[in-house]
């Protein structure tokens, strides 16, 4: 069967989701930096994630009440998803934020914000070489520019503090989140709010338990509330948007769009904390901007074949979803149910989303 489509139906939504995720996370970095001196890093990491989990839990329960008499448009997590989600939480929800908080104690917020671009790079490297996601020369060159910029930012610290432990800690956090992102892609067809809520509650509980075991205590109510709000926006809502972007764009491309986050954070840092960056900072920003531009202007189109696929997710009856129903359907879309994709061969612009994970 051959069909033509000039635009992948989920492309526009995926880009919007990824950029929203980037903006929310980018803004949170300088605010987290402002809290670092008042709270132990591991305690702050726990409060950020707990704020994320609790806020999303309230939204999840309210949504459930509204939809209790309806079928809803989200696919719940299944038992087979738990192994992937558990690994994602351990890497990105426990190890990653602790490393970031320690890194922020030794690194200017503006430079830290740009260093967080390494998350997109490491996410893509893992996606390409471990999880076998497709990439081309343009995408590779864009990531190379971002890597060079990250190295420059790290090297800038060497003359003043010797080994750049702060930068290395932030890069370590980015590696943890790269692992997290690739594992989360495995479950991205499921409810994004449920995924982010579970990650927030588990990661927050584990980090706070570690903090208490080390003898740290909770800060004042006002600081805890501020951390919770930062966590809900910068970790919770951002992660919801990120999971939705993974569903539509694939891991590496989502990471590339998410690379806009550090520029948002850097601008906020310069305005809020009145930092004075040097020439290396601006040169790194230019390199990172060029790398992101290469990703944003990518176009991938070729004839490809879809094999038989049986899965569950929210969908509308587009070119990829032409199937019958074994239940009474009122015609509302999007809707959720297990469905079978028949073999199909066609050509259109696409990203490696949940329906385009084919070989090249």
């Amino acid at each position: 069967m051959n069909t033509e489509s000039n635009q992948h139906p989920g492309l526009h939504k995926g880009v919007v989701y990824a950029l929203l995720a980037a903006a929310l996370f980018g803004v949170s970095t300088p605010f987290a930096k402002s809290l670092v001196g008042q709270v132990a890093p591991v305690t702050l990491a726990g409060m950020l994630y707990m704020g994320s989990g609790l806020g999303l839990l309230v939204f999840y329960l309210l949504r459930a009440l509204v939809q209790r008499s309806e079928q809803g448009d989200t696919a719940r997590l299944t038992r087979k998803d738990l192994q992937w989600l558990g690994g994602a939480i351990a890497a990105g929800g426990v190890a990653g934020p602790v490393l970031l908080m320690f890194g922020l104690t030794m690194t200017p917020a503006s430079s830290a914000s740009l260093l967080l671009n390494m998350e997109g790079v490491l996410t893509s490297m893992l996606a390409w070489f471990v999880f076998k996601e497709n990439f081309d020369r343009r995408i590779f060159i864009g990531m190379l520019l971002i890597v060079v910029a990250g190295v420059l930012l790290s090297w800038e610290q060497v003359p003043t503090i010797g080994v750049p432990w702060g930068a290395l800690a932030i890069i370590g956090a980015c590696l943890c989140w790269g692992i997290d992102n690739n594992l989360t892609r495995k479950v991205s067809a499921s409810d994004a709010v449920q995924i982010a809520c579970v990650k927030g509650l588990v990661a927050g509980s584990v980090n706070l338990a570690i903090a208490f075991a080390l003898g740290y205590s909770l800060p004042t109510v006002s600081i805890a509330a501020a951390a919770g709000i930062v966590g809900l926006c910068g970790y919770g809502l951002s992660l919801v948007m990120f999971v939705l972007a993974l569903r539509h764009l694939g891991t590496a491309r989502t990471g590339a769009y998410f690379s806009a986050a550090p520029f948002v954070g850097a601008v906020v840092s310069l305005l809020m904390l009145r930092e004075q960056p040097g020439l290396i900072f601006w040169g790194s920003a230019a390199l990172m901007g060029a790398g992101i531009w290469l990703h944003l202007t990518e176009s991938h189109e070729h004839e490809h074949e879809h094999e038989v696929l049986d899965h569950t997710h929210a969908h509308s009856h587009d070119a990829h979803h032409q199937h019958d129903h074994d239940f009474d359907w009122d015609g509302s879309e999007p809707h959720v149910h297990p469905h079978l994709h028949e073999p199909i061969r066609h050509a259109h612009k696409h990203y490696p989303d949940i329906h385009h994970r084919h070989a090249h």
Side-chain angles (χ1 to χ4, degrees):
M1 177 178 180
N2 289 284
T3 62
E4 295 292 332
S5 176
N6 293 326
Q7 185 179 11
H8 184 276
L11 174 60
H12 176 68
K13 287 192 297 184
V15 172
V16 172
Y17 290 142
L19 293 177
L20 283 174
L24 287 167
F25 184 72
V27 169
S28 76
T29 301
F31 284 98
K33 170 73 174 180
S34 69
L35 295 171
V36 164
Q38 307 175 65
V39 190
V42 66
T43 307
L44 179 56
M47 291 192 301
L48 289 170
Y49 269 99
M50 188 59 72
S52 162
L54 291 176
L56 291 177
L57 178 61
V58 171
F59 174 82
Y60 181 85
L61 294 175
L62 290 175
R63 187 187 63 180
L65 288 175
V66 172
Q67 295 181 342
R68 61 184 176 182
S69 61
E70 304 174 7
Q71 182 181 7
D73 60 357
T74 54
R76 300 293 185 262
L77 286 165
T78 63
R79 179 168 300 187
K80 67 179 182 180
D81 294 332
L82 296 183
Q83 59 179 336
W84 303 114
L85 186 58
I89 292 172
V94 178
V98 172
L99 285 171
L100 175 63
M101 294 305 106
F102 277 111
L104 286 176
T105 63
M106 297 176 281
T107 308
S110 54
S111 292
S113 293
L114 288 183
L115 273 171
L116 289 172
N117 256 319
M118 295 301 294
E119 178 185 346
V121 175
L122 296 171
T123 293
S124 297
M125 293 298 181
L126 290 170
W128 297 337
F129 299 113
V130 177
F131 294 90
K132 307 302 181 183
E133 189 171 296
N134 173 67
F135 71 99
D136 56 24
R137 183 173 61 183
R138 183 186 189 89
I139 292 297
F140 177 78
I141 293 174
M143 278 302 176
L144 183 61
L145 291 175
I146 296 173
V147 169
V148 172
V151 170
L152 288 175
L153 285 174
S154 301
W155 187 256
E156 187 180 21
Q157 298 181 59
V158 172
T160 56
I161 63 174
V163 178
W165 294 115
L168 291 176
I170 293 172
I171 292 173
C174 291
L175 175 60
C176 291
W177 286 322
I179 296 171
D180 176 2
N181 295 337
N182 278 277
L183 295 180
T184 301
R185 181 192 175 182
K186 296 285 189 179
V187 300
S188 61
S190 300
D191 183 359
V193 173
Q194 186 181 22
I195 291 170
C197 177
V198 172
K199 291 178 76 171
L201 291 174
V202 174
S205 299
V206 171
N207 279 292
L208 286 176
I210 294 173
F212 296 149
L214 293 174
Y216 297 115
S217 59
L218 291 176
T220 62
V221 174
S222 60
I223 294 177
I229 294 172
V230 172
L232 174 59
C233 297
Y235 288 70
L237 296 178
S238 176
L239 180 56
V240 171
M241 296 296 107
F242 193 89
V243 172
L244 293 172
L246 286 174
R247 185 184 304 173
H248 293 288
L249 302 177
T251 313
R253 272 71 173 181
T254 298
Y257 283 95
F258 192 74
S259 293
F263 289 98
V264 178
V267 170
V268 174
S269 294
L270 297 176
L271 295 176
M272 184 177 77
L273 304 179
R274 300 185 183 278
E275 295 180 350
Q276 298 296 325
L279 291 177
I280 291 181
F281 173 89
W282 295 112
S284 299
L287 288 173
M288 288 184 176
I292 293 171
W293 177 81
L294 287 173
H295 281 271
L296 293 175
T297 54
E298 178 207 12
S299 180
H300 183 73
E301 179 175 3
H302 63 90
E303 188 174 61
H304 55 276
E305 184 173 358
H306 294 265
E307 298 179 351
V308 175
L309 176 63
D310 186 5
H311 62 174
T312 304
H313 65 93
H315 63 279
S316 300
H317 283 199
D318 53 25
H320 296 93
H321 295 89
Q322 298 297 321
H323 52 256
D324 297 323
H325 297 79
D326 56 5
F327 59 88
D328 292 333
W329 176 48
D330 60 7
S332 62
E333 293 182 328
H335 60 298
V336 178
H337 64 90
H339 55 277
L340 180 70
H341 291 264
E342 298 291 345
I344 181 176
R345 187 174 185 84
H346 58 182
H348 62 90
K349 293 180 181 179
H350 62 278
Y351 282 84
D353 58 20
I354 59 175
H355 296 108
H356 295 89
R357 299 180 180 177
H358 49 260
H360 291 73

